[in-house]
């Protein structure tokens, strides 16, 4: 699935130009969905938290019972080698991924003996600073560990997110505010979520139904160091309806202001702007 342009692919020990084929029809990942990935961003010569993203894709592989075959440190070096083909001012999405190749006698369990690995680099611009989204409610919820591999960034989880997006976009919203099985807010359909009330920041507590993101953790660290109180807690739709500001946190665009949730409207406020400024100040200083 090519979302961007100017694609380069690392496969079988070498970088290749273009969106080359890397998976076979009979591979476990193609047939039974044993694929995981992660995403990092190259922006103005920096790749914030690249090592953490490479470490997470290895943890995701293990959670999906696929054997990781490349150390996070080696993965970082491979990524930097591939990025040399891009100009410093090019925005690139970095996607390392694993998938199962063989299965056991039942075909269901991926074999630990053989794993597919690739890295895809795609030129995808960052959203402009003026970008924002509106959120709607969705009937679909985040699953729990007992029924889904929510402790992995796994491709098999994303059709549920796609249902959320299709549902709310049909009603004129751009993204969905999503609850867990108990009806508490978990995240959006594409990213983690924060809200601001009376100058303090709140985000859903990581309860195992969603990935508490690397960028999310970075924002919380910056806010606390800046003297802002940050609460990880149980939040409801009513809490978001009463919020002063809301913003999304994800790897693709780092900070995305939310300007509405159903009938509630928000301004792009000072905390949201401060979070964005602190993130890029840090990223470009690394």
């Amino acid at each position: 699935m090519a979302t961007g342009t100017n694609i380069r692919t690392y496969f079988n020990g070498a970088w290749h130009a273009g969106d080359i084929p890397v998976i076979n029809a009979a591979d476990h990942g193609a047939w039974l969905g044993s694929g995981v990935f992660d995403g990092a961003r190259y922006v103005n010569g920096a790749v914030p938290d690249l090592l953490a993203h490479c470490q997470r894709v290895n943890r995701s592989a293990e959670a999906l019972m696929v054997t990781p075959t490349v150390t996070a440190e080696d993965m970082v070096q491979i990524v930097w080698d591939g990025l040399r083909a891009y100009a410093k001012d090019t925005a690139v999405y970095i996607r390392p991924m694993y998938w199962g190749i063989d299965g056991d006698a039942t075909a269901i369990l991926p074999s630990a003996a053989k794993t597919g690995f690739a890295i895809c680099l795609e030129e995808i611009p960052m959203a402009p600073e003026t970008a924002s989204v509106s959120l709607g409610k969705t009937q679909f919820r985040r699953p729990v560990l007992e029924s889904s591999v929510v402790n992995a960034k796994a491709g098999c989880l994303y059709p549920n997110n796609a249902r959320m997006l299709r549902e709310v976009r049909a009603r004129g919203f751009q993204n969905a505010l999503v609850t867990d099985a108990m009806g508490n807010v978990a995240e959006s359909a594409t990213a983690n979520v924060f809200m601001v009330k009376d100058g303090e920041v709140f985000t859903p507590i990581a309860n195992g139904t969603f990935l508490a993101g690397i960028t999310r953790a970075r924002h919380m660290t910056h806010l606390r160091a800046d003297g802002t109180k940050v609460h990880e807690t149980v939040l409801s739709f009513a809490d978001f309806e009463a919020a002063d500001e809301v913003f999304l946190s994800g790897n693709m665009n780092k900070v995305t202001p939310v300007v509405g949730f159903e009938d509630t409207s928000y301004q792009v406020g000072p905390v949201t702007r401060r979070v964005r400024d602190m993130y890029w100040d840090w990223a470009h200083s690394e």
Side-chain angles (χ1 to χ4, degrees):
M1 180 187 74
T3 299
T5 59
N6 194 14
I7 295 173
R8 302 193 75 220
T9 308
Y10 180 86
F11 183 60
N12 283 344
W15 280 104
H16 308 268
D19 184 20
I20 68 166
V22 298
I23 192 166
N24 296 313
D27 282 2
H28 195 279
W31 183 20
L32 294 171
S34 58
V36 299
F37 71 98
D38 217 289
R41 269 298 211 169
Y42 177 72
V43 183
N44 294 327
V47 186
D49 284 318
L50 176 58
L51 178 62
H53 286 286
C54 294
Q55 291 168 333
R56 189 171 66 179
V57 75
N58 280 356
R59 293 195 302 271
S60 292
E62 291 169 348
L64 214 64
M65 296 166 287
V66 173
T67 304
T69 56
V70 181
T71 68
E73 292 76 13
D74 286 348
M75 214 178 296
V76 167
Q77 186 57 58
I78 293 168
V79 168
W80 277 113
D81 289 344
L83 288 173
R84 291 194 180 98
Y86 296 88
K88 185 178 178 180
D89 61 353
T90 304
V92 179
Y93 184 68
I94 302 160
R95 187 173 63 250
M97 57 193 127
Y98 289 107
W99 62 94
I101 293 180
D102 297 327
D104 71 350
T106 69
I108 303 299
L109 184 66
S111 170
K114 198 172 181 182
T115 303
F117 174 73
I119 301 174
C120 184
L121 303 180
E122 295 185 64
E123 186 175 332
I124 301 177
M126 298 292 295
E129 286 194 10
T130 54
S132 61
V133 297
S134 60
L135 305 179
K137 294 179 182 178
T138 174
Q139 65 180 306
F140 303 111
R141 299 191 178 192
R142 290 292 304 172
V144 295
L145 184 62
E146 289 80 4
S147 64
S148 298
V149 284
V150 289
N151 57 334
K153 196 169 177 66
C156 59
L157 296 172
Y158 281 79
N160 192 42
N161 299 56
R163 295 193 302 175
M164 299 168 187
L165 290 172
R166 184 171 61 179
E167 181 185 27
V168 298
R169 287 177 181 175
R171 295 196 297 116
F173 301 101
Q174 294 150 309
N175 209 323
L177 193 60
V178 182
T179 67
D180 60 20
M182 299 297 292
N184 301 311
V185 172
E187 60 176 356
S188 79
T190 63
N192 295 140
V193 66
F194 288 83
M195 54 164 275
V196 183
K197 183 67 176 177
D198 298 329
E200 298 185 8
V201 174
F202 300 79
T203 192
I205 190 166
N207 62 2
T209 66
F210 64 95
L211 280 180
I214 293 166
T215 307
R216 171 185 179 270
R218 185 63 62 189
H219 292 327
M220 290 193 291
T221 297
H222 291 164
L223 283 161
R224 286 168 174 152
D226 199 47
T228 301
K229 289 186 178 179
V230 181
H231 309 271
E232 292 184 87
T233 187
V234 176
L235 296 169
S236 66
F237 283 151
D239 291 316
F240 278 83
E241 290 165 349
D244 300 322
E245 303 175 42
V246 176
F247 63 90
L248 303 184
S249 160
N251 170 67
M252 185 63 78
N253 291 308
K254 307 305 181 182
V255 178
T256 303
V258 174
V259 294
F261 168 50
E262 291 287 341
D263 295 329
T264 302
S265 297
Y266 312 107
Q267 297 295 318
V268 180
V271 177
T272 301
R273 292 193 294 268
R274 179 66 177 150
V275 169
R276 176 186 280 148
D277 289 345
M278 287 191 296
Y279 183 85
W280 289 116
D281 286 347
W282 165 80
H284 294 138
S285 69
E286 287 294 292

